[in-house]
Amino acid sequence: METINAIMTRRSIRAFTGDPISKDTLDVLLSAAVAAPSGGNRQPWTFIVLCNQKRLKALRSLAPGMIDMPAAVVALCLDIPRATIKEKGDIDEMAWLDLGAAMQNILLAAHDLNLGACPVGSFHEQGVSALLNLPPHLKLALLIAIGIPAIKPAAPIKRPFEEVVFFEEYGGNGGSRDA
Ligand SMILES: Cc1cc2nc3c(=O)[nH]c(=O)nc-3n(C[C@H](O)[C@H](O)[C@H](O)COP(=O)(O)O)c2cc1C
């Protein structure tokens, strides 16, 4: 699939057939995550993959945003020491963008492989962290539910290009490139 086409046709998929996904396929998705860009190449992430049905059920009971039972879930965690600005001792807010890039790589790779995926930000952080046995240096950021799509949803309405994109300055429509 051509990249632009993949970007434009990706949808959040929230209904799955119940069929499993192979370990090799999951490895491709996670390799895409690992290949994401990050500020200073700090790679402030850890990914935890769940495929065990019993554990997926337990996870879903802690994640109201997970609509259907997926074949697998990837938990994206922020690695706090890697995300922290040493001199200040604070988390660099840019590190969240690094996780966003990893998320998008997983979503696009899933789409390219004809899988369905949906980010899930609505979850019980303490409960899921305990289920995943997260050490204190990892903060759970996002879940991604993945499975064989059971539906092909229509594209949701996106804000108009002209409302969110400006050229040269806020409110600018570009005008002549030579002027
Ligand atoms: C950070 C983040 C959190 C999200 N959390 C949820 C969620 O908890 N449940 C859900 O069904 N969709 C969730 N979504 C999916 C959005 O609802 C979806 O991306 C949006 O409606 C646009 O649809 P599209 O992905 O098909 O373009 C989340 C998306 C993002 C980026």
Side-chain angles (χ1 to χ4, degrees):
M1 193 183 289
E2 203 189 320
T3 308
I4 298 291
N5 185 39
I7 290 169
M8 301 310 280
T9 59
R10 179 210 58 81
R11 293 274 67 83
S12 286
I13 303 294
R14 300 181 176 85
F16 307 105
T17 60
D19 296 309
I21 300 175
S22 74
K23 166 82 168 59
D24 284 354
T25 301
L26 286 170
D27 285 350
V28 173
L29 297 183
L30 273 299
S31 299
V34 167
S38 61
N41 199 28
R42 69 191 139 200
Q43 303 168 68
W45 47 54
T46 295
F47 306 102
I48 301 179
V49 186
L50 275 87
C51 316
N52 176 285
Q53 286 293 304
K54 241 172 134 180
R55 289 176 57 72
L56 282 172
K57 266 188 196 151
L59 177 68
R60 193 165 159 239
S61 73
L62 296 164
M66 200 174 293
I67 309 301
D68 196 8
M69 200 41 197
V73 167
V74 179
L76 280 68
C77 305
L78 185 74
D79 182 313
I80 295 169
R82 283 182 177 273
T84 297
I85 306 168
K86 304 263 173 319
E87 303 74 45
K88 287 190 181 169
D90 295 335
I91 289 177
D92 183 353
E93 287 179 11
M94 288 282 177
W96 297 107
L97 298 182
D98 301 338
L99 284 192
M103 174 198 79
Q104 187 70 351
N105 274 13
I106 293 174
L107 298 180
L108 289 175
H111 183 42
D112 186 67
L113 295 170
N114 293 317
L115 297 171
C118 185
V120 176
S122 168
F123 53 79
H124 187 289
E125 185 182 350
Q126 241 185 326
V128 178
S129 300
L131 180 73
L132 301 179
N133 199 20
L134 290 189
H137 76 280
L138 294 183
K139 180 171 170 55
L140 183 63
L142 188 75
L143 304 172
I144 301 180
I146 303 162
I148 313 295
I151 48 151
K152 197 170 185 256
I157 295 167
K158 301 285 177 172
R159 291 173 66 190
F161 186 91
E162 299 73 23
E163 184 180 305
V164 295
V165 180
F166 301 110
F167 290 89
E168 307 301 342
E169 62 180 6
Y170 179 76
N173 65 10
S176 164
R177 282 171 195 223
D178 302 324

